[in-house]
Amino acid sequence: MLPRGFAIRHFILLIVSLIVLATLSNGVKAAAPPQPLMDWEYRWGDSPRDANGEPEWLDDESADWLSTVSPSNPPGREGHQHLWLRTTLPEGDWNDPVLYITSINLIGQAYLGDELIYQYGEFDDQGRGDFAGWPWHMIDLPEDTAGEPLAFRLYSYYTSIGLWGEVQVMERIDVLKHVIHESAQDLGVSALVLVLAILATIFALIGPERRGFLATALFAYASGLMLLAEAPARQLIADGPLAWDMLRAGSYYTLPIALGMLLSHWLEGTAKRWIKRLWALHLAYLVMAMGLVQLGIISLSITFPVFDVLLAITLPIMLLLALFRFRRLNLEQRLLVLSFTFFAPLLLADMAVAHGFVAWRTVPLSYGSLVFSLAIAAIFLWHYRRTQQQLAMANETLEQQVAARTEELGQLVRELEGLSFEDPLTGLHNRRHFNTVFDHECRRAQQHGTKVSLLMLDIDHFKDINDYFGHDAGDAVLVKMASLLTQHFVDLGMVCRIGGEEFVALLPDTSAKTAESSANTLLASIAQCACDHQGTTLRRITLSCGIATYPDHTHDPHKLLRLADEALYHAKRSGRNRCVVWSESFEEHGFIIGRRQTQ
């Protein structure tokens, strides 16, 4: 792999060279203007070889040679894959003459008199060869070649055969100038569209209209890379005709996929469903065709005619489906359909020229790509702006709701300031405070559809502690447990003492699973905690816990206290020092509700 610095320097040098070449070429006047080759003759088949291995048809003056106006697709092919063409080089006063050919289908040899002066592709013993790509060709000519016979030996299994596009004698500097001039527009639009593709990708990653921006990015990448791969200057960037055609095919085949995704994103109903099927069909063709080419099963050139037939059918259908719903579309959707109406005929016209249905001419496909891309960008940028405005309004509304909520909580605090809600022994809130907060949290959970869990906790065998160690020791245990409970639930909710050795933990926005996990951690911690009073080590202290959660266990959050009490009773009956979550099976077994006789 070349170092990145080398690649950057090479690219900069190439750009500077092109600029200098274009500047110099404007000031250099050619010795003679370009001269197209005329008076073509053709002959189907391949020439036999003489004793020296040279083609016999180079000197053949038989009547088998027929006249043709164009060196592209002479009449009477009828399945022939070999073709010979010949003409005479025109008169002209050139300093550095070359023969410029837009393209050769598919491979060929050029003979000046009896001398082989150029070959593109590799011929086997049967005169056949594999597709090598579609570059333009610049064939060196001697200065004194005016009037010399020029012959071409061609082989093609493609739908077209011969010399395609321009075939003319030119100055070398004029060829390079022509290539740069013909590429400038495509390269400029390609760069702009690829920048748009990058911006659309960024918006897809950070914006709300992800699907639309992804479709925009896909179309922009496909059209931008296609224009780059079709620009004649591509050969000045990198000499790899087959690689450029692979890039062109992949991007060209992706265009209807991106178009379909964009249209189906905007349209509704039957039109949306049909366009989805059409772009899915193109996606299947892209994967199959490029996969078979990579495996070496088929030639890349063969995939173009099949795709063009498919495109000639599906593209008008997409256009008609979009126009059919035109009156029901809003302004930005109409803009998308109009730009599509401008772009689609250019695609079809370019395809018709490529297959010889229309005489060779330059189709301004870059205009269509630019118009369609800019229309899409305008639409989605407008939607992005509108979405940002909606988000700003939503934030303002949220701030107002927060302010109202803060005022509501402040009013609640003011109402509680005049009351005494603290348990004098443990410092925890008492039952009065619990009832007020519990009622408020129940209403909030019902209004907002949030969860709330309630934990009932009871000290196991607390009566035995009082009986054996005295009530002072029992009070010390209560204070110790209150401190441990407060520390444990400080980030989850509120802990209150509601009577005797009973505590309750109210946990808003907490599921039953989370509450159970937290309770089990607490019980295990307390079971390992040593308690003493006035130097006397007390017996091991444990807790039992019952849990109920709204709306998992009841549709009325005010019933949580009763359900948690039932769960606590079940924990006591099943061995103590454990946490039990309420279940409907408790009611089926008829557990007694109320104060437990066994502590």
Side-chain angles (χ1 to χ4, degrees), residues 456 545-548 559-573 580-588 590-594 596:
M456 292 285 292
C545 176
I547 299 175
K559 294 181 180 180
L560 289 179
L561 192 62
R562 178 176 66 84
L563 299 182
D565 196 43
E566 291 180 14
L568 174 60
Y569 177 64
H570 186 74
K572 289 286 188 179
R573 289 290 301 269
V580 173
V581 179
W582 186 86
S583 170
E584 292 183 0
S585 63
F586 297 171
E587 294 183 348
E588 295 174 1
F591 288 115
I592 301 173
I593 302 174
R596 270 77 58 198

Side-chain angles (χ1 to χ4, degrees), residues 437-488:
V437 177
F438 178 62
D439 183 66
H440 174 78
E441 290 297 334
C442 288
R443 283 188 280 108
R444 191 176 75 88
Q446 288 177 313
Q447 290 174 359
H448 299 286
T450 57
K451 293 180 179 291
V452 59
S453 293
L454 186 69
L455 284 69
M456 292 285 292
L457 301 115
D458 189 280
I459 301 175
D460 296 329
H461 302 294
F462 183 73
K463 185 176 181 298
D464 293 344
I465 296 174
N466 283 331
D467 291 343
Y468 287 105
F469 300 98
H471 288 280
D472 290 343
D475 290 345
V477 170
L478 290 173
V479 171
K480 177 72 173 179
M481 291 301 106
S483 175
L484 294 174
L485 291 173
T486 301
Q487 294 175 14
H488 184 77

Side-chain angles (χ1 to χ4, degrees), residues 97-269:
V98 294
L99 178 63
Y100 173 74
I101 304 173
T102 302
S103 183
I104 292 177
N105 286 320
L106 288 173
I107 61 174
Q109 293 174 330
Y111 290 88
L112 185 61
D114 295 332
E115 181 184 357
L116 177 65
I117 62 172
Y118 185 76
Q119 176 167 314
Y120 178 68
E122 298 294 332
F123 287 84
D124 59 18
D125 294 339
Q126 286 76 40
R128 299 182 175 89
D130 294 328
F131 175 61
W134 281 308
W136 50 267
H137 305 268
M138 186 169 62
I139 303 174
D140 293 332
L141 296 174
E143 293 184 10
D144 54 349
T145 55
E148 290 291 324
L150 181 70
F152 290 91
R153 177 196 184 198
L154 303 166
Y155 168 76
S156 174
Y157 48 77
Y158 188 59
T159 55
S160 297
I161 189 171
L163 308 181
W164 186 82
E166 298 175 292
V167 184
Q168 54 191 5
V169 179
M170 304 173 64
E171 292 282 357
R172 185 185 306 273
I173 188 68
D174 286 341
V175 171
L176 297 177
K177 180 180 177 180
H178 174 73
V179 166
I180 295 172
H181 179 267
E182 291 296 315
S183 303
Q185 179 176 295
D186 285 348
L187 292 177
V189 174
S190 174
L192 180 61
V193 172
L194 289 175
V195 170
L196 175 62
I198 295 173
L199 292 176
T201 303
I202 294 173
F203 286 141
L205 295 175
I206 66 175
E209 287 278 355
R210 293 184 177 177
R211 181 180 173 188
F213 277 119
L214 282 175
T216 301
L218 181 62
F219 174 82
Y221 281 123
S223 58
L225 292 175
M226 183 184 71
L227 291 176
L228 175 63
E230 289 185 343
R234 66 187 182 274
Q235 288 174 237
L236 303 178
I237 299 173
D239 185 17
L242 196 56
W244 281 115
D245 281 326
M246 284 291 293
L247 177 62
R248 179 170 62 171
S251 54
Y252 180 41
Y253 299 168
T254 303
L255 276 180
I257 301 172
L259 289 171
M261 292 176 66
L262 281 166
L263 291 174
S264 63
H265 177 67
W266 287 108
L267 300 179
E268 300 294 338

Side-chain angles (χ1 to χ4, degrees), residues 130-131 157 246 253 285 287-304 306:
D130 294 328
F131 175 61
Y157 48 77
M246 284 291 293
Y253 299 168
Y285 181 82
V287 174
M288 180 183 68
M290 301 307 287
L292 293 176
V293 169
Q294 290 296 323
L295 293 174
I297 298 176
I298 62 174
S299 169
L300 177 65
S301 61
I302 299 300
T303 65
F304 282 93
V306 178

Side-chain angles (χ1 to χ4, degrees), residues 514-557:
T514 301
E516 182 183 14
S517 175
S518 181
N520 284 327
T521 302
L522 171 68
L523 267 56
S525 175
I526 289 178
Q528 300 297 324
C529 182
C531 289
D532 56 13
H533 176 63
Q534 297 180 352
T536 302
T537 300
L538 306 179
R539 53 171 296 171
R540 186 169 71 104
I541 306 299
T542 60
L543 294 181
S544 294
C545 176
I547 299 175
T549 300
Y550 169 83
D552 297 349
H553 302 142
T554 177
H555 295 295
D556 181 4

Side-chain angles (χ1 to χ4, degrees), residues 277-426:
R277 292 168 184 166
L278 293 177
W279 72 252
L281 176 63
H282 278 282
L283 177 61
Y285 181 82
L286 170 66
V287 174
M288 180 183 68
M290 301 307 287
L292 293 176
V293 169
Q294 290 296 323
L295 293 174
I297 298 176
I298 62 174
S299 169
L300 177 65
S301 61
I302 299 300
T303 65
F304 282 93
V306 178
F307 174 81
D308 288 339
V309 171
L310 181 63
L311 185 66
I313 297 172
T314 59
L315 198 61
I317 294 176
M318 287 186 185
L319 181 58
L320 290 175
L321 288 172
L323 292 174
F324 179 74
R325 294 186 57 88
F326 189 79
R327 292 184 178 180
R328 286 179 265 181
L329 302 178
N330 56 35
L331 180 60
E332 65 271 15
Q333 292 169 343
R334 289 184 179 185
L335 177 61
L336 175 68
V337 173
L338 288 175
S339 60
F340 176 49
T341 305
F342 177 76
F343 182 64
L346 291 176
L347 270 179
L348 295 175
D350 185 66
M351 179 185 67
V353 170
H355 289 285
F357 297 112
V358 178
W360 182 87
R361 66 193 64 187
T362 302
V363 178
L365 198 59
S366 58
Y367 288 158
S369 176
L370 180 61
V371 169
F372 198 76
S373 298
L374 292 179
I376 294 168
I379 290 170
F380 281 102
L381 287 176
W382 181 82
H383 271 270
Y384 183 76
R385 179 175 175 271
R386 186 177 66 176
T387 302
Q388 293 300 316
Q389 291 175 342
Q390 292 174 345
L391 289 175
M393 293 177 60
N395 289 334
E396 183 178 353
T397 303
L398 181 60
E399 290 175 359
Q400 294 174 353
Q401 292 176 346
V402 170
R405 174 67 174 163
T406 302
E407 177 61 26
E408 180 184 349
L409 292 175
Q411 180 63 30
L412 178 61
V413 170
R414 288 190 292 271
E415 291 176 0
L416 296 178
E417 283 178 350
L419 302 174
S420 176
F421 293 127
E422 185 174 293
D423 174 53
L425 174 64
T426 62

Side-chain angles (χ1 to χ4, degrees), residues 35-85:
Q35 290 289 334
L37 273 63
M38 310 292 289
D39 302 325
W40 288 96
E41 292 182 323
Y42 73 96
R43 186 171 180 177
W44 293 111
D46 198 9
S47 171
R49 300 282 173 164
D50 59 20
N52 297 322
E54 300 297 329
E56 294 181 0
W57 288 0
L58 290 174
D59 301 315
D60 182 48
E61 298 298 332
S62 67
D64 293 330
W65 291 90
L66 304 175
S67 297
T68 180
V69 175
S70 170
S72 177
N73 296 316
R77 181 176 184 182
E78 299 176 355
H80 288 290
Q81 295 182 337
H82 292 88
L83 171 69
W84 276 75
L85 295 167

